[in-house]
Amino acid sequence: MAEEFDQGTIIPLRYAERNVQGIVIDPHALGHFKPSIGIGLQGVSRLMGIDASTLSRRVLQIDNEKGLKLPSGNVYRVLQILADDGNDYLTIEFSDWSRIAGDWLKKPGKLRQSTKDSLIDFLSWYTAQGLYASAYTLINRVFTRKDSEAVRS
């Protein structure tokens, strides 16, 4: 049986030999027991090589919502979520982070080369992991933690 999650549940994840906190945004957004999950600005700054302060400065209040505005002018939805550790996190959904990385690489503004390299590494990992997850789910009807670890090695 699948585990039930509430909004704000922290899910420990591993990326590029780093521990990352995923945060449940909506417990059933993608179907029953299939939550939408995001990563907070602080957590993703380590993954993408962009300072958390740079990300925070780009968060704007637009009407009653927050948005991350990139040099391209595109704005991505930011949610403030109270997590089960008692902290508030500015969070963006997983799939938007890949769009953000691509968008920022297309119109980098003043990004350093090392940050561009980190964004490319993030997209490489994201693509490989996602494609393997899709393929293994089709073939085996499941993508396991062991499969995920094998893809990362």
Side-chain angles (χ1 to χ4, degrees):
M1 183 171 158
E3 188 174 343
E4 177 73 34
F5 294 106
D6 295 318
Q7 182 182 52
T9 299
I10 293 177
I11 299 172
L13 303 169
R14 195 121 167 95
Y15 164 78
E17 305 310 317
R18 297 179 190 149
N19 295 318
V20 181
Q21 292 182 340
I23 301 167
V24 173
I25 295 170
D26 182 339
H28 302 289
L30 306 175
H32 193 58
F33 294 119
K34 295 180 182 168
S36 59
I37 303 170
I39 301 177
L41 300 185
Q42 290 284 341
V44 89
S45 70
R46 293 184 303 274
L47 301 178
M48 293 183 156
I50 300 171
D51 293 336
S53 60
T54 299
L55 291 169
S56 295
R57 280 193 308 271
R58 294 188 160 280
V59 174
L60 309 172
Q61 186 74 34
I62 303 167
D63 296 323
N64 291 330
E65 294 188 359
K66 291 179 176 20
L68 178 71
K69 186 172 183 181
L70 297 187
S72 66
N74 290 332
V75 178
Y76 296 87
R77 186 173 167 213
V78 176
L79 300 160
Q80 187 164 349
I81 304 228
L82 176 63
D84 59 9
D85 67 357
N87 293 311
D88 273 319
Y89 291 92
L90 293 178
T91 306
I92 296 177
E93 205 272 333
F94 278 174
S95 62
D96 283 344
W97 281 120
S98 64
R99 289 183 193 92
I100 290 166
D103 187 341
W104 222 325
L105 285 166
K106 287 178 187 173
K107 304 254 185 205
K110 298 178 182 179
L111 287 182
R112 295 182 311 264
Q113 185 60 45
S114 62
T115 303
K116 290 177 192 175
D117 292 345
S118 292
L119 287 171
I120 291 166
D121 291 344
F122 173 80
L123 287 173
S124 298
W125 166 80
Y126 188 91
T127 302
Q129 188 82 356
L131 288 173
Y132 269 105
S134 293
Y136 281 25
T137 301
L138 179 68
I139 294 165
N140 302 318
R141 305 226 187 285
V142 67
F143 183 71
T144 67
R145 180 177 293 191
K146 188 175 180 178
D147 295 333
S148 176
E149 290 167 358
V151 168
R152 282 197 314 263
S153 343

